[in-house]
Amino acid sequence: VLRPTLIKIGGRIYRKNLIQEQAYQHEEEEEEDFCAGPSDCADEPCDAFVVEETEKGFQCRVEVPSPLYKYIIGKKGETKKRLETETRTSISIPKPGVEGEIVITGQHRGGVISARTRIDVLLDSFRKKQPFTHFLSFALNQPTIQEKFLQFKEEVLEKCSKDHGVSSSLFQNPAKLHLTLGTLVLLNEQETQKACDLLQRCKEDFVDQIAGGKPLTVEVAGVEYMNDDPAMTDVLYAKVHMKDGSDRLQVIADQLVERFVASGLMLKEWDRVKLHATVMNTLFRKDPSAEERNNTMTGKSSFKERESFNGRNILKLFENFYFGEVQLDSVRLSQRFSSDASGYYATSGQL
């Protein structure tokens, strides 16, 4: 340890420190359990959270949604015990299903800071692995659009049903036609309320100004595919653009996502929002309620089962298909796997 091997790389000399690896066997979700080493976080500044001094030492509280408690506890309580031993703290966790705060107490401020930082790292890691629960959307299910969509579906099945993989099960539910701006993992009522509040602040800060206080008139026209080979299509979408030729819809979408990413409620996926309305998706083939999402994070198992379809003829015949004009007057915080009276996704909040 005191005399590590020295390695010369690009004119600089680096120490090669010994790493002692320990294997922990966990099942399923706890499989990828990990913790930063005890000294990794002790010197971290704690401006991001409050450490209170008490009669018995120091204390720090952290709000954690109840579905994430199990990742702090670990299999048979191993993660919690290890954290407590290595940071010399005591960690109090509410009962499963009961919303509340995790309380970290210890005699040394550094130990409490270290435990809190390591809990944050664990939570951040496992939160990223949760399937999304909500998404920001513009509804495109107005009667005229639904009518044209059903006409599109009928004509595609009439003219292209013999093409490989094309069937009626691929089509979106017309009542759920929408534009997705971004997805969120909201694990309790407090987080949902936080997202609703942020949506209202966005309205006041920039949406009203960009939209001029009026609905945005957009046209839904033409179809395009997501992947590289039209003969192996998984997602076919309708294109959306402002009728006046401006980029106001794109600007609002990008700024909303930017705000939600900055707040920690949403993960950044792309540099700008890809405005599209999914009309056909191979995920719908086996699960009509499946929401489109253009990466594999949410459905590792379903991704392998997808059977692509040959979209060449559809793209050729319906390249400029006109779905109609629509007034966009609200952004919704929509709940995944839900329906309201109109058939659209249930709304947790909107601007």
Side-chain angles (χ1 to χ4, degrees):
V1 174
L2 295 174
R3 294 187 182 85
T5 308
L6 300 178
I7 304 172
K8 195 171 182 179
I9 302 174
R12 294 187 178 188
I13 296 174
Y14 297 84
R15 287 177 302 207
K16 184 180 178 183
N17 294 322
L18 288 170
I19 297 172
Q20 190 174 3
E21 293 186 352
Q22 223 173 337
Y24 293 95
Q25 291 184 340
H26 296 293
E27 295 168 7
E28 297 170 4
E29 295 160 303
E30 280 72 43
E31 218 172 87
E32 298 181 61
D33 183 15
F34 71 93
C35 272
S39 61
D40 289 0
C41 311
D43 298 323
E44 289 274 330
C46 57
D47 299 342
F49 47 84
V50 178
V51 178
E52 302 169 315
E53 192 165 357
T54 65
E55 290 177 8
K56 294 180 181 178
F58 296 89
Q59 178 178 281
C60 183
R61 296 172 177 273
V62 51
E63 281 188 21
V64 179
S66 59
L68 297 180
Y69 293 165
K70 59 185 175 184
Y71 301 115
I72 307 301
I73 296 166
K75 185 188 173 188
K76 296 179 181 174
E78 284 179 18
T79 304
K80 178 174 175 284
K81 285 175 197 165
R82 193 163 69 249
L83 275 170
E84 289 176 324
T85 303
E86 293 177 355
T87 60
R88 296 181 183 177
T89 57
S90 174
I91 300 169
S92 172
I93 300 174
K95 291 178 181 176
V98 177
E99 296 298 335
E101 294 177 318
I102 287 179
V103 182
I104 307 160
T105 53
Q107 291 185 344
H108 302 284
R109 184 185 181 85
V112 172
I113 291 170
S114 178
R116 167 64 195 259
T117 309
R118 290 168 66 177
I119 284 173
D120 284 347
V121 170
L122 275 172
L123 293 174
D124 186 55
S125 167
F126 286 110
R127 180 180 278 280
K128 286 174 184 172
K129 293 172 186 172
Q130 302 298 310
F132 75 93
T133 58
H134 294 72
F135 57 100
L136 292 181
S137 74
F138 282 108
L140 294 177
N141 64 344
Q142 289 74 1
T144 51
I145 301 283
Q146 287 198 45
E147 199 175 305
K148 291 293 282 183
F149 169 77
L150 290 170
Q151 183 190 325
F152 167 77
K153 178 179 177 179
E154 189 180 316
E155 289 183 22
V156 167
L157 291 174
E158 187 184 306
K159 297 171 182 175
C160 308
S161 61
K162 289 181 181 175
D163 295 346
H164 175 75
V166 174
S167 73
S168 62
S169 63
L170 295 175
F171 292 84
Q172 172 68 283
N173 175 348
K176 292 195 167 178
L177 287 164
H178 66 280
L179 293 177
T180 298
L181 304 186
T183 58
L184 305 98
V185 176
L186 306 176
L187 298 175
N188 59 19
E189 285 180 22
Q190 290 92 322
E191 291 189 347
T192 304
Q193 188 57 50
K194 188 179 171 186
C196 292
D197 294 343
L198 180 57
L199 208 49
Q200 289 308 315
R201 286 202 299 278
C202 289
K203 173 182 164 64
E204 295 157 15
D205 292 351
F206 61 87
V207 174
D208 281 347
Q209 186 184 350
I210 297 169
K214 296 176 183 176
L216 299 176
T217 305
V218 302
E219 289 183 319
V220 185
V223 292
E224 193 55 85
Y225 61 104
M226 280 291 182
N227 48 313
D228 301 326
D229 183 1
M232 297 286 285
T233 301
D234 277 320
V235 176
L236 191 82
Y237 63 90
K239 294 183 280 187
V240 180
H241 61 267
M242 287 289 297
K243 191 178 182 182
D244 63 8
S246 73
D247 64 350
R248 288 185 297 155
L249 178 61
Q250 185 70 56
V251 171
I252 287 173
D254 289 341
Q255 288 196 21
L256 278 169
V257 169
E258 200 176 296
R259 271 296 179 92
F260 272 78
V261 169
S263 74
L265 288 168
M266 189 181 283
L267 290 175
K268 188 176 178 70
E269 292 185 76
W270 317 105
D271 289 335
R272 67 201 302 258
V273 176
K274 187 176 178 68
L275 294 169
H276 67 282
T278 298
V279 291
M280 295 173 74
N281 190 334
T282 53
L283 282 179
F284 298 150
R285 201 190 295 280
K286 293 202 172 187
D287 180 7
S289 69
E291 272 78 14
E292 44 85 11
R293 189 178 189 189
N294 306 317
N295 61 35
T296 58
M297 274 174 65
T298 53
K300 293 173 189 169
S301 57
S302 63
F303 190 77
K304 293 173 189 172
E305 296 164 11
R306 293 177 86 151
E307 182 198 337
S308 301
F309 64 93
N310 186 344
R312 280 180 175 155
N313 283 332
I314 298 173
L315 288 159
K316 200 183 295 179
L317 295 168
F318 300 92
E319 183 183 3
N320 299 308
F321 187 90
Y322 189 71
F323 290 91
E325 183 182 298
V326 62
Q327 305 280 322
L328 299 182
D329 59 3
S330 68
V331 179
R332 308 186 190 202
L333 179 63
S334 302
Q335 295 174 37
R336 195 181 185 194
F337 303 129
S338 67
S339 295
D340 62 14
S342 74
Y344 192 68
Y345 302 95
T347 302
S348 297
Q350 62 183 343
L351 68 78

